[in-house]
Amino acid sequence: MNYVIYFLTLIDQTIIGVFLYSQLLPLKTRFALPCVTWFGLYSLSFTLFHFLGDYAPPSAVQMILCMLYQTAVMLFFEGNAFMRFCTAAVFIILCGAAELMTVGILCLIFRMPVTEFYIFQNENHIVAVGRIYAVDVILFMTFVFFLLLRYRRIREEYYVRDILIVLSFDCVHMIYLYLYYTDPDNSLSEVNNIIQFGMQTMLIFMLFHQFYSGREVRRLEQAKQSLELMQKNREREVDYYKAAEEKYTEISMIRHDLVNHLTAVEALARQPDGKADARELLEEIKRRTHAISVPNTDDINSAGGQYAKDTDI
């Protein structure tokens, strides 16, 4: 049964680790691909060492293999080698710190001194509870670390709120586990621990699904607003150009009339008694000329500038 808990723990740690990496470094592929690679490498190693038994390599060699696995996982992320190494090292350090914190919580749950904890660490129920609690602690420390590191650089609206929601549910679950395991009437059997761990795994899946779904929904809403704004600006441009076309047609008609009037003025001016009529016709031409309103080309430029400003989201 502990093997089942180990693989469930590995799934949860994989999701949390890839999340941290993807927030600190650009991800080249889909989120699931580095998760599958991480889980596959560690599962293969664990299965192989289990079958080797006493012939398995020492712990130091296994730690080196784990570092190599992290190197393979980091190939799915962008950035130079130093940044990748630092990011992987940060998660390993967070896991180590989470383990120490988990030891303290287990000592409180099972009412044992810290100095005597490792004497009872081979107890199956203590190991199972420790792995269950370790996932919650790793999740909590990962999100807190990310917030402290990138808080001032986070400009996306509601991003911090989404992280705090995940942290809140994680804290509630840790309190629930503490109350559950400190109750002497609750069973600490392997089946019970697997049920608890299965519920925790589903909770983590739901939290991360909600986290990414919320971001995707807001991204789609922003894209929709941008498209609506673009549509409104284009409708304003179409209305303006329609008005300009109508004005151009009107000016063309007036121009045609002015040509006819000027021809009439020229004919009247040649007649001895037509000067008064010619002068009156010229005054009429002036009045009609002053009444013409030509569209201002600055309006087109300002409309284009406003369109570019509004669509820059």
Side-chain angles (χ1 to χ4, degrees):
M1 289 293 185
N2 277 329
Y3 295 146
V4 177
I5 293 180
Y6 170 80
F7 286 113
L8 289 175
T9 305
L10 184 58
I11 292 174
D12 295 339
Q13 289 182 348
T14 298
I15 295 174
I16 298 170
V18 173
F19 167 80
L20 177 64
Y21 294 166
S22 64
Q23 300 305 306
L24 299 180
L25 296 174
L27 182 61
K28 296 179 182 179
T29 60
R30 294 184 178 274
F31 186 88
L33 190 55
C35 291
V36 172
T37 303
W38 188 333
F39 179 80
L41 291 174
Y42 277 85
S43 299
L44 180 63
S45 177
F46 177 82
T47 305
L48 178 62
F49 294 157
H50 173 71
F51 282 111
L52 288 177
D54 295 336
Y55 297 98
S59 300
V61 176
Q62 296 182 23
M63 290 296 296
I64 294 175
L65 288 176
C66 291
M67 294 177 64
L68 293 176
Y69 297 158
Q70 289 298 309
T71 302
V73 173
M74 295 306 297
L75 293 177
F76 294 101
F77 299 88
E78 298 179 0
N80 55 48
F82 178 76
M83 287 298 299
R84 295 181 186 181
F85 173 80
C86 290
T87 304
V90 164
F91 184 69
I92 294 174
I93 293 173
L94 288 175
C95 289
E99 181 177 355
L100 295 177
M101 187 180 295
T102 303
V103 169
I105 295 174
L106 292 178
C107 290
L108 289 175
I109 292 175
F110 297 105
R111 303 181 185 281
M112 63 177 68
V114 177
T115 54
E116 299 180 5
F117 172 78
Y118 289 98
I119 299 176
F120 300 95
Q121 66 174 338
N122 293 326
E123 298 289 337
N124 290 335
H125 66 279
I126 295 180
V127 173
V129 175
R131 288 176 176 172
I132 294 173
Y133 240 109
V135 172
D136 278 346
V137 176
I138 291 173
L139 178 63
F140 179 82
M141 296 189 68
T142 299
F143 274 71
V144 170
F145 169 80
F146 176 72
L147 274 181
L148 294 176
L149 182 65
R150 302 292 297 273
Y151 180 78
R152 293 184 178 180
R153 299 182 183 180
I154 296 175
R155 298 181 179 179
E156 183 179 347
E157 190 177 5
Y158 299 119
Y159 189 86
V160 175
R161 187 202 66 175
D162 292 342
I163 292 181
L164 292 178
I165 290 175
V166 175
L167 285 175
S168 299
F169 276 98
D170 186 49
C171 291
V172 170
H173 188 255
M174 284 194 289
I175 295 173
Y176 160 77
L177 289 177
Y178 181 81
L179 296 176
Y180 179 83
Y181 284 113
T182 53
D183 187 354
D185 295 332
N186 290 327
S187 173
L188 296 178
S189 64
E190 292 183 346
V191 175
N192 186 284
N193 288 331
I194 289 178
I195 292 174
Q196 292 295 330
F197 208 106
M199 293 177 60
Q200 181 190 46
T201 303
M202 287 190 294
L203 175 64
I204 290 177
F205 269 107
M206 292 173 61
L207 288 176
F208 277 95
H209 180 268
Q210 178 65 29
F211 179 82
Y212 283 105
S213 297
R215 295 186 63 192
E216 184 66 17
V217 168
R218 285 193 295 275
R219 187 187 67 82
L220 293 176
E221 289 178 351
Q222 291 178 353
K224 180 181 178 181
Q225 293 175 0
S226 177
L227 290 174
E228 291 177 350
L229 185 59
M230 291 172 61
Q231 182 66 25
K232 291 180 181 179
N233 286 327
R234 289 197 177 275
E235 289 176 356
R236 287 201 295 265
E237 287 185 349
V238 170
D239 293 341
Y240 175 81
Y241 285 114
K242 284 183 179 180
E245 184 178 2
E246 293 175 356
K247 184 62 65 176
Y248 176 78
T249 303
E250 179 184 354
I251 292 174
S252 297
M253 295 176 62
I254 294 175
R255 176 179 174 275
H256 181 267
D257 293 341
L258 290 177
V259 171
N260 292 335
H261 288 336
L262 289 174
T263 302
V265 169
E266 184 179 0
L268 290 173
R270 292 175 182 176
Q271 299 177 6
D273 56 350
K275 292 183 179 181
D277 294 334
R279 188 177 296 106
E280 183 179 351
L281 191 55
L282 285 174
E283 292 295 331
E284 177 65 21
I285 292 174
K286 288 181 180 180
R287 286 194 298 271
R288 295 196 62 180
T289 302
H290 291 152
I292 299 174
S293 60
V294 182
N296 189 0
T297 56
D298 292 338
D299 294 340
I300 300 178
N301 296 331
S302 62
Q306 183 65 30
Y307 171 78
K309 179 179 179 182
D310 292 340
T311 54
D312 185 16
I313 296 179

